[in-house]
Amino acid sequence: MNLLSLFFVFEDIHSNLFIDIALLVTIGIIGGKLAELAHLPRVTGYIIIGMIFGPNLLNLFNAEIIADFKALKILGLGFIGYNVGLEVNFKMLKYNRNEVLFVTLFQALFTFFLVGGTILLVVNEFAWTYALIFGAIASVTTPAPIVACIRSYHTKGRLTQLLCPMIALDDVFGVILFALVLPISVYLAGHTGQEMTFGILLGEPLLEIGLSILIGGIIGFAVEWLLTYFNKGDAITIFLIIVVGLLFGIGFSYMFETSTILLPMMIGTVLSNKLSFDMRDRVRRISDNLILPILLVFFTLSGAELDIAILSTLEIIGIIYVLVRVAGKLLGTLMATSILGEEAKVRKYLGPALIPQGGVAIDMAILAEIRFIQLATETGNDVYTNVGSTILTVVLGAVVLYKIFGEIIVKWAFRKANEITEDDHTSHAHLI
């Protein structure tokens, strides 16, 4: 009887939403710490430990509990988009603007078409869906290891001059490209065999992007005005202004079914470019404290949703994504810098420095998974859930590989380009 009583007590606790949140945060912290010990990004630890405690293994968080946390996942997507926007400062384009824009767009589009085209040639089922989504995700680069090398080794030279503005623009362009192709991909998957028109395929995505930029820009300017007005306010005031602005932005994106990443990214971009240097630095510090716990919950939940059973079926598409993406970055930058007549070290080593991927790519994959789960619910066809799980699992595996080798490759590129001026004496931690 005592054991039976304990069982029912556990069931009562486990049905409590607040206890579930506490458990989720606790295991997320553990996963992040274990990942740091293994020299992996914390986000990888969050996702892996989420997989362990999710429905596939220990089932501490079953499908019903995960469904209750849907709002937290949408919140996480928005806050990560905002964080990307904070890194975009157009003043960095004051010098080398034309060169940076050309190389960024050229190599991103080249990678998109190379990865997507290869998938179209090899994959049979949902080929166009996978080609568009994986191509768009392949275009982005994570700034963290690049910024860490630049700051730690005090790199100087032409390679550094191009990389600093490129890493932010690369993510912006990738997010916009992804916002364009995701609705098309979902539509193609859900309307196989039906007649397609130009208006159907591009009308909705372009409307989503336009509304995201317009609404995000309006909210961004409103938040910037409030922050400037209360520039001498305490940290709590600044914190609340940011939170309220982001909640409105995420709420509007959900209401109007616009991009959950792009709209908040516009808010962050406006703040990054309109605020004074001191205020921008203050907002960034406060935002980091706000975003970290949300990232923890967001990625741990996403890991719990992963279907481990599909891992054994991902050999071909996973290999294509990892290897062809690297080829796209290397060849795309080589061609672009050759057209511009850049010096030899830039032509050789800019591509390797753009190989790492991280949180933004995972963010896109999770948004794709959410859209395909919604499609599965609307159509009653669980195969769409597997499509979303496949996208997330491939990107997660690729990010782990890129993390293991990415920082080594970036450091090698700077060293071969003779732009490392000092040894690493700087301790650094990455937000994602």
Side-chain angles (χ1 to χ4, degrees):
M1 288 296 292
N2 289 335
L3 289 174
L4 188 62
S5 299
L6 285 173
F7 174 77
F8 283 117
V9 167
F10 178 78
E11 285 295 304
D12 288 340
I13 290 175
H14 199 43
S15 63
N16 187 310
L17 180 62
F18 301 104
I19 297 295
D20 286 335
I21 294 174
L23 289 171
L24 191 69
V25 172
T26 301
I27 69 165
I29 292 171
I30 295 170
K33 291 298 181 183
L34 291 175
E36 285 183 341
L37 292 175
H39 303 289
L40 291 171
R42 282 174 293 188
V43 61
T44 305
Y46 301 153
I47 292 176
I48 291 174
I49 204 162
M51 292 170 61
I52 293 171
F53 284 92
N56 293 285
L57 291 176
L58 300 182
N59 200 34
L60 178 64
F61 301 104
N62 56 40
E64 183 180 344
I65 292 172
I66 292 172
D68 290 338
F69 287 133
K70 180 181 178 181
L72 289 177
K73 288 195 68 176
I74 294 172
L75 193 68
L77 285 166
F79 274 73
I80 294 171
Y82 160 76
N83 190 58
V84 172
L86 280 182
E87 301 301 323
V88 180
N89 193 300
F90 296 117
K91 291 178 182 177
M92 296 177 68
L93 292 175
K94 184 177 180 180
Y95 304 103
N96 307 307
R97 178 177 58 192
N98 294 333
E99 294 90 340
V100 168
L101 287 172
F102 177 75
V103 176
T104 302
L105 293 177
F106 189 98
Q107 58 84 24
L109 284 173
F110 186 87
T111 304
F112 169 74
F113 285 113
L114 188 64
V115 171
T118 306
I119 289 175
L120 279 177
L121 291 174
V122 176
V123 176
N124 294 319
E125 193 173 16
F126 300 111
W128 275 102
T129 294
Y130 285 135
L132 291 172
I133 290 177
F134 280 123
I137 297 175
S139 68
V140 300
T141 299
T142 185
I146 301 168
V147 172
C149 279
I150 291 172
R151 291 178 179 175
S152 299
Y153 299 102
H154 304 281
T155 63
K156 291 180 181 179
R158 182 61 176 167
L159 184 65
T160 303
Q161 289 175 359
L162 291 175
L163 266 175
C164 284
M166 273 187 67
I167 52 180
L169 285 178
D170 193 61
D171 280 353
V172 171
F173 182 73
V175 169
I176 294 173
L177 182 61
F178 183 75
L180 177 66
V181 305
L182 181 59
I184 298 173
S185 304
V186 174
Y187 186 88
L188 289 172
H191 297 79
T192 305
Q194 295 186 21
E195 183 180 355
M196 306 293 173
T197 66
F198 183 82
I200 290 174
L201 287 180
L202 288 180
E204 181 183 341
L206 291 175
L207 180 62
E208 280 192 21
I209 292 172
L211 281 175
S212 297
I213 293 174
L214 176 63
I215 298 172
I218 292 171
I219 295 175
F221 279 107
V223 171
E224 183 268 332
W225 181 84
L226 289 170
L227 290 173
T228 303
Y229 184 80
F230 292 102
N231 67 335
K232 298 188 184 300
D234 56 19
I236 297 297
T237 303
I238 304 300
F239 175 87
L240 290 175
I241 292 171
I242 295 169
V243 169
V244 170
L246 283 174
L247 288 176
F248 271 115
I250 295 166
F252 281 125
S253 72
Y254 190 66
M255 181 189 303
F256 296 111
E257 296 184 345
T258 62
S259 173
T260 315
I261 304 175
L262 182 57
L263 194 154
M265 189 183 77
M266 276 301 302
I267 298 175
T269 302
V270 170
L271 296 185
S272 178
N273 288 275
K274 293 296 291 181
L275 293 173
S276 65
F277 177 82
D278 291 337
M279 192 62 183
R280 184 170 68 246
D281 186 58
R282 189 180 180 193
V283 166
R284 185 176 282 111
R285 291 198 308 270
I286 293 171
S287 297
D288 285 352
N289 294 328
L290 169 65
I291 290 169
L292 279 171
I294 294 173
L295 290 179
L296 186 152
V297 172
F298 173 72
F299 286 117
T300 306
L301 269 176
S302 301
E305 285 188 322
L306 276 176
D307 186 1
I308 298 175
I310 67 172
L311 284 172
S312 61
T313 67
L314 301 180
E315 293 93 346
I316 294 177
I317 199 166
I319 291 170
I320 290 173
Y321 181 81
V322 172
L323 296 183
V324 178
R325 177 184 174 271
V326 171
K329 291 292 180 182
L330 296 179
L331 292 174
T333 51
L334 176 61
M335 294 168 65
T337 51
S338 297
I339 292 171
L340 292 175
E342 288 288 343
E343 53 189 290
K345 70 174 185 179
V346 174
R347 296 198 303 269
K348 289 180 181 178
Y349 304 117
L350 183 59
L354 292 174
I355 288 175
Q357 266 199 327
V360 177
I362 297 175
D363 194 27
M364 293 177 177
I366 290 170
L367 181 54
E369 184 202 32
I370 291 172
R371 289 290 184 93
F372 280 102
I373 290 173
Q374 291 174 345
L375 182 61
T377 303
E378 292 168 2
T379 60
N381 190 346
D382 288 338
V383 72
Y384 297 123
T385 302
N386 291 333
V387 172
S389 295
T390 297
I391 294 166
L392 181 54
T393 306
V394 167
V395 172
L396 173 61
V399 165
V400 172
L401 287 174
Y402 290 138
K403 174 60 182 177
I404 294 171
F405 299 104
E407 291 190 24
I408 298 172
I409 293 171
V410 171
K411 181 181 175 182
W412 171 84
F414 278 119
R415 191 172 294 282
K416 294 293 289 185
N418 293 317
E419 296 198 2
I420 291 180
T421 61
E422 296 182 21
D423 290 332
D424 185 4
H425 299 299
T426 308
S427 59
H428 50 264
H430 308 322
L431 183 61
I432 304 180

